[in-house]
Amino acid sequence: MSTKPKNRDRRGRRRGGSRRSEQTKRPIRPTPPCIACGEDINDITSALADPRDGGPVHFECAIKAAEAELKPVEGETVIYLGKGGFAAVESKSYQQRKLKIIRRMDWEKLDEVSSWRKDLRTELR
Ligand SMILES: [Zn+2]
């Protein structure tokens, strides 16, 4: 991870999925079911580990769970801070690309690396 001053919110949005030439170079990755919604995770690299049992969850499902935990009220938005942390921020400031964190939570237990993550790491080496 680089330490750029601007901590931009990445919503894990990726366009398309039909870039064949790029995909064929990649090894076939497992598509385990998300433990939150049960649907397959097609892009395991964007998945997060659930803090309860370390199973993979969709990024979107993690955001939803973070929203349930942080309970954003009107004028607040829940974003992913990176490194497994979520925060409820002030929407108005956020739209102006400023971060005003109201509440935050740590999602992943960073000291515990899930087995599916380990596999991914050795693969990327
Ligand atoms: Zn899911």
Side-chain angles (χ1 to χ4, degrees), residues 33-41 56-62 64:
C34 169
I35 64 160
C37 73
E39 304 253 338
D40 287 353
I41 298 172
V57 285
H58 288 117
F59 183 81
E60 289 79 9
C61 291
K64 273 182 211 159

Side-chain angles (χ1 to χ4, degrees), residues 56-98:
V57 285
H58 288 117
F59 183 81
E60 289 79 9
C61 291
I63 280 274
K64 273 182 211 159
E67 280 172 348
E69 184 79 22
L70 291 164
K71 298 181 180 70
V73 295
E74 214 175 320
E76 294 176 7
T77 306
V78 171
I79 61 155
Y80 183 55
L81 294 172
K83 305 212 171 185
F86 287 90
V89 299
E90 201 186 272
S91 306
K92 217 171 149 192
S93 308
Y94 181 63
Q95 276 155 21
Q96 296 162 354
R97 295 185 175 274
K98 288 176 218 155

Side-chain angles (χ1 to χ4, degrees), residues 1-118:
M1 275 287 212
S2 61
T3 48
K4 285 179 187 167
K6 270 188 186 173
N7 196 359
R8 291 230 182 118
D9 170 40
R10 287 219 221 131
R11 279 168 189 272
R13 267 212 193 167
R14 245 155 254 185
R15 297 187 80 228
S18 54
R19 286 219 234 116
R20 277 279 157 86
S21 56
E22 203 180 288
Q23 277 185 349
T24 45
K25 281 181 213 158
R26 289 180 189 171
I28 296 158
R29 296 209 169 107
T31 56
C34 169
I35 64 160
C37 73
E39 304 253 338
D40 287 353
I41 298 172
N42 293 316
D43 184 7
I44 191 83
T45 56
S46 74
L48 297 177
D50 189 277
R52 286 161 295 184
D53 69 357
V57 285
H58 288 117
F59 183 81
E60 289 79 9
C61 291
I63 280 274
K64 273 182 211 159
E67 280 172 348
E69 184 79 22
L70 291 164
K71 298 181 180 70
V73 295
E74 214 175 320
E76 294 176 7
T77 306
V78 171
I79 61 155
Y80 183 55
L81 294 172
K83 305 212 171 185
F86 287 90
V89 299
E90 201 186 272
S91 306
K92 217 171 149 192
S93 308
Y94 181 63
Q95 276 155 21
Q96 296 162 354
R97 295 185 175 274
K98 288 176 218 155
L99 270 188
K100 216 172 185 184
I101 294 172
I102 297 157
R103 293 180 299 286
R104 62 169 294 163
M105 66 175 274
D106 291 317
W107 171 263
E108 293 185 347
K109 289 178 200 155
L110 292 173
D111 48 340
E112 285 174 35
V113 179
S114 311
S115 59
W116 59 271
R117 268 263 156 96
K118 268 183 207 151

